[in-house]
Amino acid sequence: MNPIRLRRKKNVKKGIQFCLMVCGASGTGRTTFVNTLCGRTVLPGKDSDDPSIAHEEEGVRIKPITVELELDEEGTRVSLTIVDTPGFGDSIDNEDSFGEISTYLERQYDDILAEESRIKRNPRFRDNRVHVLLYFVQPTGECEVSVSKLCLSARTHGALQATVSASSTSS
């Protein structure tokens, strides 16, 4: 049997696992991008900020969400894990935000190493290592340092591709 057909048959039967991390400050289009990509509401939008708590900083909250999608008419299933990072880049000093992202990426590799080191492995263990990291940049143009730090962190964790995308604003 043709190796391409064999691979497609396996993908239709088993499904494909993919992990996408989206980073960027509030208002850069992370939620809109993910919801458009999936064709439905996966991440709820933030309607409005309450002025009484606007000065409080919550920090980065890393939230992985798994969505089951059907890729084509042949029924290829994709298990897409979206790792959202609300609060990333919203502070004046974002050093802690980069540390949170880097720690999360390292933890995923540590989990894989721990699972592969076991004598009896869990057959249902999910590999949640991030395949692609999308970094959404504010359209102010003041992002060179933050992008380079995030790209450096992403590149040290294997086969990650950091993609920079700027949102457009209408004045």
Side-chain angles (χ1 to χ4, degrees):
M1 183 178 253
N2 185 352
I4 295 172
R5 285 188 183 181
L6 188 63
R7 177 56 127 182
R8 184 174 263 316
K9 185 177 178 182
K10 180 182 173 189
N11 287 341
V12 168
K13 182 178 177 184
K14 189 177 177 184
I16 301 169
Q17 290 185 353
F18 195 75
C19 189
L20 166 73
M21 179 179 262
V22 289
C23 296
S26 296
T28 55
R30 289 186 334 268
T31 302
T32 303
F33 173 79
V34 169
N35 292 341
T36 303
L37 177 70
C38 296
R40 62 178 183 228
T41 302
V42 176
L43 302 176
K46 195 174 184 182
D47 290 334
S48 64
D49 289 333
D50 184 4
S52 64
I53 60 169
H55 65 283
E56 297 175 6
E57 291 183 12
E58 296 180 26
V60 179
R61 296 173 312 280
I62 297 175
K63 301 188 317 187
I65 299 168
T66 302
V67 180
E68 300 294 327
L69 302 171
E70 202 161 302
L71 192 58
D72 56 19
E73 60 277 348
E74 293 180 18
T76 304
R77 292 175 306 156
V78 176
S79 178
L80 177 63
T81 301
I82 299 164
V83 182
D84 190 21
T85 57
F88 179 84
D90 290 343
S91 302
I92 294 172
D93 181 17
N94 291 311
E95 290 296 321
D96 292 339
S97 297
F98 294 111
E100 291 273 341
I101 301 296
S102 185
T103 301
Y104 178 82
L105 295 172
E106 289 173 13
R107 192 173 346 116
Q108 300 312 307
Y109 281 90
D110 291 344
D111 290 348
I112 291 294
L113 179 62
E115 182 61 30
E116 289 182 354
S117 299
R118 291 180 177 205
I119 294 172
K120 187 174 181 182
R121 296 181 186 161
N122 180 359
R124 298 196 187 277
F125 181 78
R126 281 190 61 93
D127 180 3
N128 283 327
R129 290 177 290 184
V130 176
H131 295 100
V132 175
L133 187 148
L134 294 176
Y135 184 74
F136 292 83
V137 178
Q138 290 180 336
T140 59
E142 300 173 11
C143 62
E144 293 176 20
V145 175
S146 60
V147 170
S148 62
K149 284 182 184 178
L150 191 61
C151 289
L152 180 63
S153 175
R155 296 308 260 161
T156 59
H157 293 92
L160 292 175
Q161 296 294 319
T163 304
V164 179
S165 173
S167 66
S168 61
T169 59
S170 56
S171 307

